[in-house]
Amino acid sequence: MDRNLALELVRVTEAAALVSSRFMGRGDKNGADGAAVEAMRKAFESVKIRGEVVIGEGELDEAPMLYIGEKVGSQSEDCMEVDIAVDPLDGTTLIAKGLPNSISVIAMGAKGSLLKAPDTYMKKIIVGPKAKGCIDLNKSAEKNILNVARALDKKTTQMTIVVQDRERHNHIIEAARKLGTKIKMFGDGDVAAGIATCFEETGIDMLMGIGGGPEGVITAAAIKSMGGDMQAQIYPLSDEERKRCHEMGYTDESLNKVLSIDDLAKGDDLFFAATGITGGELLKGVTPIGNNRARTQSVVMRAKTGTIRFVDAIHNLDKNQILIDLMKKYNME
């Protein structure tokens, strides 16, 4: 794929972030998500790809925009066919409450490179490059912490793991506390939490737990670009979710399979882009500058080269047609 597509993807996540940031703290998570979806869809129109959404906002009858199977990009014959995985607003509750770590994200890969994960839960372990090859989803949380600590040349008391604040993770928390490992809890936004494991300045060594399946595939594209490691398992928590998996072709046997990072995101023709909406540890949020400008911070990665770029941008909002149109639609001028 053309390496210049990296910046094109950033423009798409920037558009979603700029529009959805107007909803910060307003308590309207559905409005924020809808605006982000519309902005991302419009921004994709100018990207020179023949893209198909393999992970999006749902099926056609549930999500009229960026649905699974939708074609995005210019769709001209001279463009490469690619898989697209999107989460226009990862952390809808976060932005509704004005909390940190909501982001807009895209993963893109060559056709057939991204796992078509059902919209169910996924069990995950994620680590940075230094602990690559040291995780095993079939082993206990305690054993995984010990193995990662050994790989990082740290005592377990020097490690920090990140865990979503859910009752289903009590066994992980108990194992970590038994080993004296520091725990950082988060409420929502597991893409941002996952990629934090690959940046030493965040102080996060490891993520464990059960989160969104589609978000897991998006995260895998970033982790692979950064040389980290990830294992996962499709993990339906209800009969309805299991039925959804079966409808997508998953058997009970395949649901028991532990997926490697290469199962989640194949090859190295992968891109990942994210823009901060509300500020977090990794990315600054959208920051207004006066009445007609705003600053954004994004990260874009390419698996083929392992390059990670942070992109700081200042936007003239009076000249951003996507923002202007959507703000009129949502009566937020």
Side-chain angles (χ1 to χ4, degrees), residues 163-209:
V163 181
Q164 193 171 21
D165 189 7
R166 299 291 188 270
E167 189 174 339
R168 61 181 178 264
H169 297 144
N170 285 348
H171 69 287
I172 298 173
I173 294 168
E174 290 171 6
R177 287 176 175 165
K178 178 182 176 182
L179 296 170
T181 302
K182 295 185 285 293
I183 304 166
K184 189 162 189 178
M185 310 287 281
F186 69 97
D188 295 283
D190 56 345
V191 176
I195 64 178
T197 60
C198 290
F199 290 93
E200 289 190 21
E201 57 268 32
T202 66
I204 304 298
D205 297 304
M206 187 178 189
L207 176 145
M208 284 192 288

Side-chain angles (χ1 to χ4, degrees), residues 221-239:
I223 299 301
K224 191 164 187 179
S225 298
M226 294 185 286
D229 202 4
M230 177 175 177
Q231 286 191 0
Q233 180 187 357
I234 305 296
Y235 203 77
L237 293 180
S238 66
D239 290 340

